[in-house]
Amino acid sequence: MQNDPLIIAGREFQSRLWVGTGKYKDFAETKKAIEASGADVVTVAVRRVNITDRSKENLLDYLDPKKYTILPNTAGCYNVEDALRYARLARAAGVSDLIKLEVLGDERTLFPDTAGLIEAARILVKEGFIVFPYTNDDPIVAQKLVDVGCPAVMPLAAPIGSGLGIRNPYNLKIIMEMIKVPIIVDAGVGTASDAAFAMELGANAVLMNTAIAGAKDPIAMAEAMKYGVYAGRLAYTAGRIPRKLYATASSPIEGML
Amino acid sequence: MAATIQIQVNGETRDCRADATVGDLLRDLAIKAERVAVELNLEILDRKDFNGRSLHEGDRLEILSFIGGGAPTETQVTERGFVNAE
């Protein structure tokens, strides 16, 4: 596919693989893995600057904000108030109104608190943010997020960092069919076939971090994910054959002895 | 001797000049203003106001910037506080 951009809130993205920047060995590895993935959107967290050791390098020295869309998140926030505070700080630290909104409900599963998520999304949209909400694979919640003004929805495939792959393809499929904004499958993929599967279901993009950063060779896995997403997207647009229980011969009977 | 005041920066107490502004503090700490967000007593400051905002005894500042992040990580925001960057 020559030209297949993803358009969200009037912004055009070339890559359908978006990546996180956490858990890498160092910034050099982060940079190489992101280059290998072909991603043009990268997520970042907002944290205190180390004021005692100023020798520490800055992530943005390695990721040129002119080349990548920087998508700050509210990772680690367990209530609406904290998520709003981090979103506002992210906007103050950066250059855009984009925010990947996370309101987590539980430390063990890192599942979203969807009631808090919808409330925080409503407030941030009113403040002019472009909100990308990290949510469950629940079609009703996804619709509520659209109703409060989110221009895309990011349902999970499986718990964050679990590598379990697509746990509920039927729910995701319902979300893809019901929801009229782009769907970005976020969290839980483990390997390239998981990414391909998400795209074959009709996802508009996939966002991941641990599956790449935690691989034995993150740079090779980043490349594998690029092809997985690409193959899945291509297969989705090509239109797969229907599943049938019995065989259908590929070779003609005509002309046989 | 120039008068000094005590303020809190990212949870740590430190002395600074009584007539210092937020911009002065960032310069003293060798922090590039264009890469950070500053919260002064829970109010998020506009970057263009850094040089106009003077500091007072007991002020609480939070200076934050972008670091590598997920997919959410295991780190959790402490109660009403912040997780320190590695």
Side-chain angles (χ1 to χ4, degrees), chain B residues 66-86:
Chain B
F66 295 141
I67 66 151
T73 62
E74 304 75 12
T75 54
Q76 191 196 342
V77 178
T78 53
E79 200 178 338
R80 299 305 326 136
F82 291 99
V83 177
N84 288 304
E86 282 301 304

Side-chain angles (χ1 to χ4, degrees), chain A:
Chain A
M1 280 182 292
Q2 282 305 310
N3 191 29
D4 181 31
L6 169 61
I7 297 166
I8 301 172
R11 288 159 189 265
E12 198 173 296
F13 304 101
Q14 296 307 317
S15 168
R16 290 173 181 274
L17 172 58
W18 295 9
V19 296
T21 54
K23 300 183 179 174
Y24 286 99
K25 191 176 70 196
D26 52 35
F27 287 148
E29 187 185 71
T30 313
K31 184 176 197 275
K32 276 188 203 156
I34 290 167
E35 279 170 0
S37 77
D40 59 358
V41 180
V42 297
T43 65
V44 298
V46 182
R47 293 292 181 265
R48 273 176 168 164
V49 170
N50 186 333
I51 56 166
T52 46
D53 180 6
R54 297 299 309 140
S55 66
K56 295 268 182 187
E57 291 172 296
N58 188 299
L59 178 66
L60 295 187
D61 293 333
Y62 285 80
L63 298 173
D64 182 359
K66 290 190 195 78
K67 191 172 163 196
Y68 297 102
T69 298
I70 306 291
L71 178 59
N73 64 31
T74 61
C77 293
Y78 283 82
N79 58 63
V80 172
E81 196 186 349
D82 281 344
L84 297 178
R85 187 184 190 194
Y86 272 77
R88 291 162 183 157
L89 284 163
R91 177 153 75 177
V95 288
S96 80
D97 298 320
L98 304 177
I99 190 77
K100 183 189 160 192
L101 180 63
E102 298 171 17
V103 183
L104 302 175
D106 166 60
E107 284 179 50
R108 195 161 167 219
T109 60
L110 297 177
F111 281 144
D113 167 358
T114 52
L117 181 70
I118 295 165
E119 189 189 339
R122 179 186 288 119
I123 295 166
L124 290 172
V125 166
K126 279 193 187 138
E127 292 180 13
F129 282 89
I130 298 165
V131 179
F132 293 81
Y134 163 68
T135 184
N136 267 322
D137 52 7
D138 179 335
I140 307 303
V141 172
Q143 184 59 51
K144 287 188 178 188
L145 290 163
V146 175
D147 292 344
V148 301
C150 297
V153 177
M154 308 181 86
L156 53 80
I160 289 158
S162 69
L164 289 172
I166 314 285
R167 298 322 301 150
N168 197 337
Y170 303 103
N171 265 35
L172 285 179
K173 189 73 196 167
I174 292 170
I175 291 176
M176 316 265 182
E177 292 197 355
M178 274 179 54
I179 305 301
K180 302 302 175 204
V181 300
I183 303 299
I184 301 160
V185 170
D186 179 11
V189 302
T191 189
S193 56
D194 296 336
F197 187 23
M199 295 306 290
E200 285 169 356
L201 284 170
N204 298 90
V206 180
L207 170 58
M208 65 182 74
N209 190 163
T210 310
I212 296 174
K216 267 188 200 160
D217 183 342
I219 293 144
M221 186 57 90
E223 193 176 2
M225 290 298 185
K226 175 171 79 175
Y227 295 129
V229 167
Y230 185 73
R233 174 67 184 169
L234 208 52
Y236 173 73
T237 55
R240 59 155 298 149
I241 60 162
R243 290 179 175 83
K244 285 182 287 192
L245 195 53
Y246 295 103
T248 312
S250 302
S251 307
I253 310 284
E254 213 179 274
M256 286 186 79
L257 296 177

Side-chain angles (χ1 to χ4, degrees), chain B residues 43-71:
Chain B
E43 177 202 350
I44 297 172
L45 302 183
D46 199 310
R47 196 170 285 139
K48 67 178 179 350
D49 297 333
F50 287 174
N51 288 323
R53 284 297 285 262
S54 49
L55 295 167
H56 301 96
E57 178 73 31
D59 275 351
R60 297 170 64 93
L61 271 109
E62 295 288 351
I63 306 170
L64 298 100
S65 69
F66 295 141
I67 66 151

